[in-house]
Amino acid sequence: MVDVSIVLALGALVLFGGWAVAAGVATRSLTPVNAVFLSYVASIAVAGGYVFAARRPIVGARTDVAFALLSGVFLAAGTISFYAGLTRGNIAIVSAIAALYFVVPAIVGVLYFDASLAPTNVVGLVLAVIAVVLVAS
């Protein structure tokens, strides 16, 4: 039996891939900021609908709420940067470089959250960077 987290991760992979392709198409005639704005309107509709359907109130520590809001700021600024990159470059290269975002939390996790990386994890991160360099060249 497949772990539910793996199924959800694969769903995220496909959906994020679809997002990148749709973003590339959207930026053919929309400015990056307008494309992101429209994307976020749709996102709020979906996420808001999910929150209302789940009937779960938004509760949590103020610090965690602040970090959730900060993550939204990072996401919005990163998305604008991504869309702007799509208007100026190759979708495969821009997407591949942006997809390396997972390296940042890996490094931050080690430096600030006492996470540990096994040697195989480090090799995997290095190989991912090498793969993106090869795709981008």
Side-chain angles (χ1 to χ4, degrees), residues 4-66:
V4 173
S5 66
I6 301 300
V7 173
L8 292 169
L10 290 172
L13 178 144
V14 171
L15 292 166
F16 286 149
W19 164 73
V21 171
V25 173
T27 55
R28 291 183 303 186
S29 66
L30 291 170
T31 66
V33 172
N34 288 336
V36 170
F37 176 76
L38 293 171
S39 171
Y40 276 48
V41 167
S43 297
I44 290 294
V46 171
Y50 178 75
V51 167
F52 286 120
R55 298 180 189 265
R56 293 191 178 149
I58 299 173
V59 295
R62 285 185 181 173
T63 302
D64 295 340
V65 170

Side-chain angles (χ1 to χ4, degrees), residues 32-127:
V33 172
N34 288 336
V36 170
F37 176 76
L38 293 171
S39 171
Y40 276 48
V41 167
S43 297
I44 290 294
V46 171
Y50 178 75
V51 167
F52 286 120
R55 298 180 189 265
R56 293 191 178 149
I58 299 173
V59 295
R62 285 185 181 173
T63 302
D64 295 340
V65 170
F67 273 103
L69 294 170
L70 179 62
S71 75
V73 171
F74 284 135
L75 180 61
T79 303
I80 291 169
S81 179
F82 178 72
Y83 279 57
L86 290 175
T87 63
R88 293 170 177 83
N90 182 311
I91 187 172
I93 294 171
V94 171
S95 296
I97 292 169
L100 276 177
Y101 77 88
F102 68 89
V103 173
V104 174
I107 293 169
V108 170
V110 169
L111 294 176
Y112 297 103
F113 296 108
D114 296 323
S116 60
L117 293 177
T120 53
N121 300 136
V122 174
V123 170
L125 291 170
V126 170
L127 289 175

